[in-house]
Amino acid sequence: MSANTFALVVESSAKHPRPDQQFTYGTAGFRMKADLLDSVIFRVGLLAVLRSKSHRGKTVGVMITASHNPEHDNGVKLVEPLGEMLAQAWETYAMDLANAATPDALVAALNKIIAAENIDLAQHAAVVVARDTRPSGPALVASLVDGVKALAGVITDFGVMTTPQLHYVTRCINTKGTPDAYGEPTAAGYYKKLADAYLKIAKGRKPLSALHVDAANGVGAPALRELAATIGDQHLGVVIANDDIATRGKLNHNCGADFVKISQKAPEGIDLKPGQRWCSLDGDADRIVFYYADASGKFKLLDGDKIATLAAGYIMSLIREAKATHADGTPLKVGLVQTAYANGSSTAYVRDTLKVPVVFTPTGVKHLHHEAEHFDVGVYFEANGHGTVLFSKAAVKAFEATAGKSESERAALEALRTLSDLINQTVGDALSDMLMVEVVLLGTQQTLEAWDAGYTDLPSRQEKVKVQNRALFVPIKADTELAEPAGLQDKINEQVAKFRKGRCFVRPSGTEDIVRVYAEAETVQETEDLAYTVCGIVFDGYGGVGERPAKFKRVAA
Ligand code: G16
């Protein structure tokens, strides 16, 4: 393609100069300090147009969010036409565009993608965008619009939405008028779909006590308010805390799902009383964790692993009750997908008690989602509360085709059909997951304590170590080991061997400029010893920067 074809790209890109910085498409897209992102997002606009053209004009989604990260960060991720995360081959293209150092290099990178993907530039292209509540969002949407227009794409701005809502509308737009129509491509359509499904199950059941929701001072607050209003308070009582999206600096600050999971305590400023039911969303409402205080006031966490086991156990019991099978009588394949962060007790419970196969993938819902698609019912959750349950077309067909011989069989089939509408099929969704948990607890009239009693978590600890260059840490074996830096894995193994039920791994974060250290052991003390020893090894020997945290242990030479 001649440079003339890209005259507008070159002209517009001059308004979005690239800082001297290397950009990586990480666990959840590009993510960093918001003031570094202008050029990246302009170029993501170019890429989104090419992705849409490569899908013969289907609409592609772009979400501007840094999710659980601090308010001054922002980020961007691309969404495929059916709502999945961007295909991995295109992540490389995204990086090629973001890192092109000159206008000529940018045009060359565009031409490379066009040739490799055999793209017809005359093809129509459509892009939808939404953003979370970060103050940097509107300017970054403007950068994206410039990029999309520079390649003559059409863009629709959905304003402030949760990340899962953007995934939902993208799928709705692309399936509208087809047998796979997913719903109305609007926020109102999203609330109605979830509310209708929830009410089918909840109506006529004894309501549970109010659910207190920490909305991380993010977009989940207004979204939940809309959803709860659509459902009606006689069927779902919610009390929303941390719903201040107007005051700067509050988003995710000492609150939200990530804070609660990592610090293993309630958000600051809330009064957690025994008998109350609580959950926390993250900044873009794609993660959720639950918690309560036991009779002695002790904080108890129900994380993504607990949500996965609750969902898998419930759906398995419905399938058994409904006697749902494939048309040829073969059983539906139920499976659970976890990452290295899954608590060892949860994996044992799923395998030994629920008798459900478990598969492991590297961190990042994009990996878990694809693995879950191999099952008829694929339950996937990261321990951090990010996940969903996928129903294959064959499973949905089985629920629809099975008549049900008894009242209880028919009720179980109806519940399964309804769950496949209630549970977001595109991506992990805190609001949809919240309703899924409520439905299970309603069905069994379980308290959070009773849910928690299924298995006892091994003590675990997750820490961050700031290093000079996290790219030097190369994870393998679904993040459970490091291939590089040479020798570090042996040092970790040596420490792990000293602890009962010890397990520990180190991996570079794909969303923050740090490496993460995860440890598990028989007791809290042993877990802390293992975690802080490995943190010390990484900090002292592998480029730790800044002040050395006092809790990091030193290993005698
Ligand atoms: C994103 C990903 C998650 C991942 C998390 C942390 O979550 O979608 O799958 O677990 O980042 O990733 P890392 O450990 O690489 O920093 P979110 O909620 O921030 O979009």
Side-chain angles (χ1 to χ4, degrees):
M1 230 57 67
S2 78
N4 260 354
T5 317
F6 299 115
L8 189 54
V9 171
V10 171
E11 191 191 318
S12 301
S13 95
K15 293 185 211 136
H16 301 281
R18 179 181 169 276
D20 184 16
Q21 169 97 23
Q22 201 56 24
F23 298 104
T24 310
Y25 199 98
T27 318
F30 294 108
R31 218 176 261 192
M32 59 195 60
K33 297 255 180 315
D35 53 11
L36 291 171
L37 273 168
D38 167 45
S39 69
V40 175
I41 293 198
F42 167 78
R43 292 162 189 220
V44 164
L46 303 175
L47 187 75
V49 170
L50 294 187
R51 189 57 178 146
S52 169
K53 288 181 194 287
S54 80
H55 278 300
R56 299 176 188 280
K58 287 219 156 62
T59 299
V60 161
V62 177
M63 184 69 201
I64 303 210
T65 178
S67 190
H68 69 280
N69 295 124
E71 186 174 289
H72 56 65
D73 282 2
N74 214 326
V76 62
K77 51 188 164 192
L78 279 134
V79 176
E80 295 280 0
L82 289 183
E84 313 97 316
M85 304 284 192
L86 181 67
Q88 245 162 309
W90 282 70
E91 294 185 1
T92 312
Y93 299 151
M95 287 189 276
D96 290 347
L97 292 180
N99 292 313
T102 62
D104 283 350
L106 182 59
V107 169
L110 287 169
N111 273 322
K112 193 177 128 197
I113 303 169
I114 291 164
E117 298 293 329
N118 204 7
I119 290 169
D120 173 8
L121 269 191
Q123 172 75 56
H124 167 79
V127 178
V128 289
V129 59
R131 61 184 167 88
D132 67 17
T133 55
R134 285 178 161 75
S136 54
L140 294 175
V141 170
S143 313
L144 184 86
V145 170
D146 277 0
V148 171
K149 291 196 170 158
L151 275 181
V154 174
I155 182 157
T156 309
D157 181 0
F158 276 87
V160 172
M161 271 190 163
T162 71
T163 294
Q165 285 178 326
L166 188 268
H167 285 252
Y168 163 89
V169 293
T170 306
R171 183 165 177 149
C172 291
I173 289 169
N174 290 301
T175 53
K176 202 172 174 150
T178 75
D180 296 323
Y182 196 60
E184 271 307 305
T186 57
Y190 169 90
Y191 298 125
K192 186 165 175 345
K193 180 172 170 121
L194 262 54
D196 285 353
Y198 175 78
L199 287 172
K200 262 195 200 168
I201 299 182
K203 264 190 183 160
R205 295 232 161 110
K206 185 170 162 250
L208 301 165
S209 65
L211 181 64
H212 296 256
V213 185
D214 152 32
N217 296 311
V219 58
L224 176 56
R225 215 170 285 124
E226 286 286 323
L227 177 63
T230 313
I231 290 174
D233 57 8
Q234 67 277 40
H235 298 294
L236 178 75
V238 290
V239 182
I240 308 179
N242 293 330
D243 60 349
D244 182 358
I245 57 172
T247 308
R248 291 231 172 166
K250 285 194 145 189
L251 177 71
N252 293 327
H253 186 65
N254 294 338
C255 62
D258 198 59
F259 173 85
V260 171
K261 168 69 182 159
I262 304 268
S263 56
Q264 303 184 19
K265 61 181 188 196
E268 283 181 9
I270 72 151
D271 187 14
L272 173 62
K273 294 197 179 77
Q276 288 181 339
R277 306 186 315 125
W278 274 88
C279 64
S280 283
L281 319 178
D282 72 342
D284 63 340
D286 59 5
R287 298 192 203 176
I288 187 166
V289 294
F290 288 75
Y291 43 96
Y292 65 97
D294 70 9
S296 68
K298 192 170 176 237
F299 172 83
K300 298 285 213 164
L301 180 66
L302 293 148
D303 63 4
D305 299 339
K306 291 268 181 182
I307 298 173
T309 52
L310 182 79
Y314 184 64
I315 293 170
M316 294 268 294
S317 69
L318 287 176
I319 289 176
R320 266 196 304 269
E321 181 78 54
K323 303 200 174 70
T325 61
H326 289 293
D328 63 2
T330 51
L332 295 173
K333 236 168 64 188
V334 180
L336 204 138
V337 189
Q338 298 189 314
T339 71
Y341 291 105
N343 195 279
S345 295
S346 75
T347 311
Y349 177 76
V350 176
R351 279 191 181 139
D352 305 339
T353 306
L354 297 181
K355 310 255 184 252
V356 170
V358 186
V359 181
F360 284 87
T361 73
T363 302
V365 277
K366 60 187 181 188
H367 301 298
L368 288 93
H369 189 97
H370 290 304
E371 208 51 50
E373 285 175 328
H374 296 134
F375 296 100
D376 289 309
V377 180
V379 182
Y380 75 83
F381 268 89
E382 294 186 302
N384 62 25
H386 204 167
T388 191
V389 181
L390 298 182
F391 296 91
S392 70
K393 274 192 174 180
V396 173
K397 206 167 146 198
F399 304 153
E400 269 154 19
T402 314
K405 291 199 183 74
S406 65
E407 197 44 50
S408 65
E409 277 180 39
R410 283 190 288 277
L413 283 164
E414 180 60 15
L416 286 165
R417 282 181 213 122
T418 309
L419 282 176
S420 67
D421 275 333
L422 179 70
I423 303 174
N424 195 323
Q425 295 298 289
T426 64
V427 78
D429 179 341
L431 298 182
S432 160
D433 290 340
M434 181 191 87
L435 294 182
M436 171 183 79
V437 167
E438 287 297 277
V439 157
V440 181
L441 299 181
L442 260 177
T444 51
Q445 288 290 319
Q446 268 187 95
T447 59
L448 298 192
E449 287 90 330
W451 165 19
D452 198 15
Y455 65 88
T456 306
D457 275 323
L458 277 171
S460 69
R461 190 117 223 132
Q462 205 192 117
E463 291 292 327
K464 301 178 186 185
V465 185
K466 189 123 187 63
V467 293
Q468 260 154 25
N469 184 2
R470 72 190 204 274
L472 299 178
F473 295 73
V474 181
I476 49 168
K477 300 188 185 170
D479 288 343
T480 53
E481 289 183 19
L482 284 172
E484 287 175 41
L488 175 54
Q489 188 59 47
D490 289 341
K491 291 183 190 162
I492 298 170
N493 294 346
E494 201 180 301
Q495 294 305 320
V496 169
K498 295 180 187 165
F499 295 89
R500 293 175 299 158
K501 296 199 178 162
R503 189 164 76 86
C504 179
F505 62 88
V506 175
R507 60 172 283 277
S509 163
T511 61
E512 295 172 61
D513 191 13
I514 46 122
V515 295
R516 300 195 195 279
V517 173
Y518 177 88
E520 236 174 60
E522 173 94 18
T523 65
V524 172
Q525 187 58 54
E526 285 170 289
T527 304
E528 288 183 355
D529 284 351
L530 176 56
Y532 297 146
T533 304
V534 172
C535 285
I537 291 172
V538 172
F539 191 94
D540 297 334
Y542 299 88
V545 291
E547 200 178 324
R548 188 182 192 283
K551 62 189 179 187
F552 288 6
K553 291 188 181 295
R554 291 188 197 276
V555 180

